[in-house]
Amino acid sequence: MSSSRVPPLIADAVVETIGNTPIVRLVTAGSKAQVDLLAKLEYTNSSGSIKDRVAQRILANLKAANKIKDSTVLVVPSSGNLAISLALLAPRHGHYKVIGLVPERTSQDRIQLLKSLGVEIVRTSIEAHADSAESQFSIAKKITTDLPDAILIDEFASGASVQVHIEETAEEIFIQCEGRLDALVVGVETGGAITGLAKALKSKIPGLKVVGVEPEHSSIQDGLNRSGAWKVEDIGGNFTPAILDKSLVDQWIQVSDQESYSTARQLIREEGVFCGPSSGSVVAAALRYSESVTKDPKPRILTILNDTARNYSSTLLSDDWLLEHDLMDETMARSAAYHRHEKYRAASVEELQLPAAVTVPPTSTVGYALDLMMTREFSQLPVLNPTNRKLMGYISLTALTNLLEEGRAKESDLVSQWMYSFLKKKGGPKSTYETITPNTPLADLAKFFEKHSFAVVTDDDRRWCLGIATKYDLMTFLNRRQTSGRQF
């Protein structure tokens, strides 16, 4: 560790680690745009988003007003992150209950996270206007009225968000940037972050330009009721929030879903910045804004990256989902097509030239199976019925070794006692099995290896075990094709 880097002291609670997030230089993207492009990594907060700051301030205000008790129910209309933050901080501020009203576009990853934190989830329509009876705000107000000790947390109207960004986030930015900043680019949903940051930083940095970012079809900047929906979470809306001071925003930029998701993936791939889709929107807007500014001297542009990619493993991080929703840019689409089709050029499992399968019957002993696997350097062995030669399951070298070390298994035990069975057990579920045959395309086999460590190759009827394939066999095949002069 460098002597100039001092690690933080021990914190008594996670709430004490919120804030003081780092600012990093986006070297690759900035070099292409000929600007000094910076990113404040708000996703490094405890729950993975900027909303930890807001939740902490909301709870402090409620606590100061003696409004929090064990029977308190916080009703939170949000895109998801604020409800996550409030639930995460519950042990420190009193074990209140959280009801989160989240739009239908909220990723399943965040829904699971909310559930794990004990949040009661109410899904709301993404098309309902804020004034309609079906909107998350109207439903939240009704829930608050009907439940005793319920408190409505309306971040869109509360000053807590503006307050915390003026007093804390803006101060951090001013110190970190040493007071030198030409433009600030912020994604807008509630309007609290951009209003607080713009108000504080414009008073300290003359000439600072503030750029607001929203998705295409969003109506925050003009309040017009538009048709159409967007997939990016955590920014955008179909009305202008009460706390947004539009006079502080110098320019608005709308970003498409495709540009948002592809830019976020590019940041992960090229910068090592593990941010969510809305951060992709913000950086894409910053790059677009940079096209209109003078490059001499090189302008410094700061982006606020508000949440983590870990909340979007089923969307942003899923190539299948991005392809299904046409959200890949040309570079990503070419790469996906290569890995799905061109990489293996219609080759099948048969071309792996696998050796004949070495198998054992269920009556073999654990000791014999272990000796065979170690002698032949196998990690798994298929188990076959000696009568009809049908595949019954397999045994694993690692699993058997662990069982022996733990004293649960003996070398004299039969393999059938410890094998992973493909047969339906009485009173229990059948192990899942996907048929892999010599005709299976290698592209499908590669997909299989995303979840499994090996594949048992059988005939179409699963009557005969023909071999064992691993990811190493795939890699060997590609290397063999490359050295033979064929591109892969």
Side-chain angles (χ1 to χ4, degrees):
M1 179 184 291
S2 170
S3 58
S4 62
R5 296 188 63 186
V6 180
L9 299 176
I10 296 172
D12 290 329
V14 71
V15 68
E16 296 177 11
T17 67
I18 295 172
N20 286 317
T21 55
I23 290 180
V24 299
R25 185 166 277 110
L26 302 180
V27 177
T28 303
S31 297
K32 291 176 183 176
Q34 296 180 303
V35 295
D36 186 16
L37 186 59
L38 309 177
K40 189 161 176 63
L41 309 184
E42 285 298 302
Y43 65 77
T44 60
N45 281 304
S46 299
S47 75
S49 89
I50 194 172
K51 296 301 181 182
D52 282 358
R53 295 180 185 267
V54 181
Q56 184 181 30
R57 182 56 61 94
I58 287 172
L59 293 172
N61 292 346
L62 290 174
K63 201 168 184 178
N66 294 317
K67 290 185 176 180
I68 294 184
K69 48 188 177 181
D70 289 343
S71 61
T72 296
V73 178
L74 300 184
V75 182
V76 190
S78 79
S79 59
N81 282 339
L82 182 59
I84 291 170
S85 297
L86 287 167
L88 189 72
L89 298 179
R92 185 68 172 179
H93 291 273
H95 292 275
Y96 49 80
K97 181 180 178 181
V98 176
I99 298 177
L101 293 94
V102 296
E104 292 167 340
R105 72 167 64 91
T106 302
S107 70
Q108 194 59 34
D109 309 277
R110 291 204 291 178
I111 294 298
Q112 295 302 327
L113 181 52
L114 286 164
K115 285 182 177 179
S116 73
L117 291 168
V119 176
E120 183 76 25
I121 299 166
V122 179
R123 290 277 200 168
T124 58
S125 172
I126 58 176
E127 296 180 355
H129 194 268
D131 296 330
S132 72
E134 295 81 23
S135 76
Q136 61 177 180
F137 303 99
S138 297
I139 297 172
K141 289 174 183 176
K142 187 176 187 306
I143 292 173
T144 306
T145 301
D146 294 343
L147 291 180
D149 298 323
I151 299 173
L152 176 63
I153 306 298
D154 186 358
E155 189 194 357
F156 292 80
S158 167
S161 179
V162 176
Q163 183 184 10
V164 74
H165 291 304
I166 288 175
E167 296 175 5
E168 295 180 12
T169 321
E171 286 299 312
E172 292 174 22
I173 291 171
F174 187 77
I175 293 170
Q176 289 170 303
C177 293
E178 299 176 306
R180 190 171 72 81
L181 193 60
D182 297 296
L184 174 70
V185 186
V186 186
V188 183
E189 183 187 33
T190 68
I194 195 167
T195 298
L197 293 176
K199 188 173 291 186
L201 292 173
K202 280 195 167 191
S203 68
K204 294 185 174 185
I205 306 175
L208 176 68
K209 299 298 181 183
V210 175
V211 180
V213 183
E214 63 176 340
E216 286 184 349
H217 309 298
S218 171
S219 307
I220 288 181
Q221 61 175 302
D222 53 26
L224 298 177
N225 192 6
R226 294 186 176 88
S227 60
W230 57 92
K231 290 184 169 57
V232 172
E233 302 176 46
D234 300 315
I235 60 171
N238 54 16
F239 68 101
T240 301
I243 62 172
L244 172 62
D245 186 346
K246 292 194 294 184
S247 68
L248 297 169
V249 182
D250 299 288
Q251 184 176 337
W252 288 89
I253 295 178
Q254 290 193 332
V255 181
S256 69
D257 283 333
Q258 185 184 72
E259 195 174 3
S260 299
Y261 280 90
S262 60
T263 302
R265 285 287 294 263
Q266 188 176 342
L267 289 168
I268 295 170
R269 185 174 63 249
E270 297 182 0
E271 308 280 0
V273 172
F274 207 60
C275 61
S278 64
S279 297
S281 305
V282 172
V283 173
L287 293 174
R288 203 185 303 172
Y289 172 79
S290 70
E291 296 172 0
S292 63
V293 298
T294 305
K295 301 299 193 297
D296 187 20
K298 182 183 287 188
R300 173 176 282 184
I301 302 172
L302 175 65
T303 59
I304 306 297
L305 309 190
N306 80 314
D307 77 345
T308 176
R310 287 186 174 87
N311 288 343
Y312 307 96
S313 61
S314 63
T315 55
L316 171 65
L317 302 182
S318 168
D319 285 351
D320 291 337
W321 188 88
L322 293 176
L323 277 170
E324 180 186 346
H325 294 90
D326 193 26
L327 294 174
M328 286 188 170
D329 61 12
E330 189 177 341
T331 301
M332 291 177 64
R334 278 201 309 268
S335 176
Y338 168 75
H339 284 285
R340 282 170 170 259
H341 306 292
E342 297 174 26
K343 186 175 184 178
Y344 301 104
R345 298 205 173 206
S348 66
V349 169
E350 188 173 19
E351 295 187 52
L352 293 180
Q353 301 175 15
L354 298 171
V358 176
T359 64
V360 292
T363 53
S364 294
T365 65
V366 167
Y368 172 77
L370 278 173
D371 287 343
L372 183 59
M373 283 190 282
M374 288 189 285
T375 301
R376 303 290 291 270
E377 296 185 348
F378 294 152
S379 297
Q380 302 88 14
L381 276 178
V383 179
L384 265 61
N385 186 317
T387 304
N388 56 19
R389 301 292 295 170
K390 193 163 185 177
L391 183 65
M392 299 175 63
Y394 71 93
I395 51 174
S396 159
L397 175 62
T398 301
L400 288 183
T401 302
N402 290 340
L403 287 166
L404 287 169
E405 290 177 352
E406 293 168 5
R408 295 169 57 196
K410 302 188 295 290
E411 290 194 12
S412 58
D413 289 345
L414 297 182
V415 161
S416 59
Q417 186 177 346
W418 300 110
M419 73 177 184
Y420 294 93
S421 178
F422 295 139
L423 306 177
K424 187 172 183 180
K425 295 181 181 178
K426 202 169 185 179
K430 183 170 66 173
S431 300
T432 55
Y433 184 87
E434 185 175 336
T435 302
I436 303 294
T437 74
N439 295 322
T440 298
L442 290 187
D444 292 348
L445 183 64
K447 194 75 176 174
F448 179 85
F449 285 144
E450 290 179 6
K451 296 182 179 179
H452 306 282
S453 60
F454 74 101
V456 179
V457 183
T458 69
D459 63 315
D460 290 333
D461 298 324
R462 279 184 54 201
R463 294 190 61 188
W464 314 106
C465 177
L466 306 176
I468 297 289
T470 66
K471 185 64 179 284
Y472 179 76
D473 295 311
L474 266 183
M475 295 166 64
T476 301
F477 168 80
L478 291 173
N479 184 57
R480 188 168 66 241
R481 173 178 279 184
Q482 183 185 35
T483 54
S484 67
R486 296 170 65 187
Q487 292 195 3
F488 68 97

